[in-house]
Amino acid sequence: MWGIVPAAGSGTRIQPLAFSKELLPVGSRFDGATERPRAVSEYLIERMLKAGADKICFVISPWKSDILQYYGGRIGPAAIAYVVQPKPAGLCDAIFRALPLIQRDDQVLIGLPDTIWLPEDALARLPDDRLAFLTFPVDRPELFDAVVSDDDGRVREIQVKRRGAASCWVWGAFKMPGHIFHALYTLWQRPERRDEYFGTLVNAWLATGGTARGIRAGSGYVDVGTLHGYREALRLLEGHEAGRRAVVTEQYQATQGQATQEQVTELQATQCHATQSETTDSQEEARDEVHSAVAKR
């Protein structure tokens, strides 16, 4: 399974930065007893690995070599490939740069590396046999691509940054079989198309008889591409981890009696490390490689 990470944008909304916006430190994780900063794009990659991706393709611009330096050629079980988008030309152009790597019988995951969303395992809930969108409820759907679907989850329309959107559910990631990825590329190549936004291409796909499903499995979604979004992401993560720590404290007290503050702190660090990491040996190697890259920077 491929995970495609479009990372060629210039990030003008959150500039000036001295590095690619996909490496913006947001939150942290524990590496043993040591707390380390975490690049925002690590959240997406972690979620792709949880969903079964064993190959990651970064789509980068020619000047974003720091992403290559940060991630290298492998994350645990997942090999990493890089393709170049010469200049910003929209999401469709970016993701289809990976087309030569995708076989028709592959599965393809696509997400945005400057977003953070919950729950972490939501991508695994998308079906394998069709185009499916992982959707999230938001307060201002007009800032995103709203997914309008019927009661059975069948997508009727993607409303791209439309004021007065008919749905508060927006897509944060999507999945499809390789043969549909190729079919969408063929549609996009028609002279009258060349869409910038993936949503308008999907609407054309639906109009030609294609189908898609919207899966309402998301609970929290933040676009970190703005200063406001960055602050919201910190609040989302803080609340998420605070909830985890409260559960850990209750469990410890219930099983071991009244814990000392030192014991609670130690257990919280252990639980935070465990829940933020993958559960297999190969996925733990992913953490090690990413953090080695952090140390080298």
Side-chain angles (χ1 to χ4, degrees):
M1 181 186 295
W2 278 96
I4 300 177
V5 182
S10 56
T12 56
R13 296 177 301 163
I14 202 169
Q15 292 297 340
L17 295 174
F19 47 83
S20 296
K21 65 185 174 81
E22 293 78 13
L23 302 182
L24 181 69
V26 182
S28 63
R29 66 160 77 224
F30 281 91
D31 182 8
T34 304
E35 189 173 15
R36 299 186 184 278
R38 195 176 195 190
V40 62
S41 52
E42 288 185 55
Y43 291 94
L44 174 62
I45 293 172
E46 176 189 58
R47 285 147 174 72
M48 286 179 164
L49 294 179
K50 282 182 180 289
D54 58 1
K55 297 179 287 290
I56 301 293
C57 177
F58 277 96
V59 182
I60 61 176
S61 62
W63 56 86
K64 285 195 167 182
S65 60
D66 56 347
I67 294 178
L68 191 154
Q69 181 181 7
Y70 187 88
Y71 283 106
R74 175 169 291 274
I75 301 179
I80 301 180
Y82 299 87
V83 298
V84 174
Q85 184 183 30
K87 60 181 181 179
L91 181 59
C92 288
D93 182 86
I95 64 175
F96 289 135
R97 296 279 169 178
L99 187 82
L101 302 175
I102 309 300
Q103 302 299 312
R104 292 181 178 274
D105 58 353
D106 285 332
Q107 291 291 321
V108 182
L109 298 169
I110 299 172
L112 304 177
D114 56 354
T115 62
I116 296 176
W117 43 261
L118 299 172
E120 295 96 330
D121 62 352
L123 277 175
R125 306 180 194 183
L126 301 184
D128 294 336
D129 60 345
R130 65 196 68 190
L131 171 61
F133 292 91
L134 175 60
T135 65
F136 301 82
V138 298
D139 293 331
R140 300 188 62 189
E142 69 274 10
L143 300 178
F144 305 96
D145 288 3
V147 179
V148 180
S149 56
D150 60 24
D151 293 339
D152 295 326
R154 185 185 179 95
V155 175
R156 297 301 183 187
E157 182 186 9
I158 307 294
Q159 296 181 342
V160 179
K161 297 177 174 59
R162 182 183 301 179
R163 180 173 296 182
S167 172
C168 67
W169 290 85
V170 304
W171 71 257
F174 49 95
K175 179 181 179 181
M176 71 189 88
H179 67 87
I180 292 182
F181 189 68
H182 280 263
L184 286 168
Y185 173 74
T186 299
L187 176 61
W188 182 68
Q189 285 282 53
R190 291 182 181 178
E192 72 275 15
R193 297 238 55 91
R194 306 297 290 185
D195 303 77
E196 177 181 0
Y197 297 106
F198 189 69
T200 60
L201 179 62
V202 170
N203 290 336
W205 167 256
L206 298 175
T208 60
T211 62
R213 297 195 70 81
I215 308 299
R216 295 181 175 182
S219 59
Y221 181 84
V222 178
D223 175 5
V224 191
T226 66
L227 185 57
H228 173 74
Y230 178 77
R231 291 169 177 156
E232 287 296 314
L234 294 178
R235 281 193 283 267
L236 176 68
L237 294 172
E238 180 181 7
H240 185 54
E241 291 308 318
R244 283 177 172 172
R245 291 185 174 97
V247 170
V248 171
T249 302
E250 291 175 5
Q251 290 175 341
Y252 192 97
Q253 292 175 343
T255 58
Q256 301 293 330
Q258 185 67 30
T260 67
Q261 183 59 46
E262 182 179 355
Q263 289 171 322
V264 170
T265 301
E266 180 181 358
L267 184 61
Q268 287 173 347
T270 302
Q271 178 71 4
C272 184
H273 169 62
T275 53
Q276 286 187 349
S277 67
E278 305 295 339
T279 58
T280 66
D281 290 341
S282 60
Q283 288 168 329
E284 287 187 7
E285 292 175 10
R287 273 200 324 276
D288 295 340
E289 291 204 11
V290 169
H291 293 146
S292 294
V294 172
K296 293 176 181 177
R297 285 184 56 79

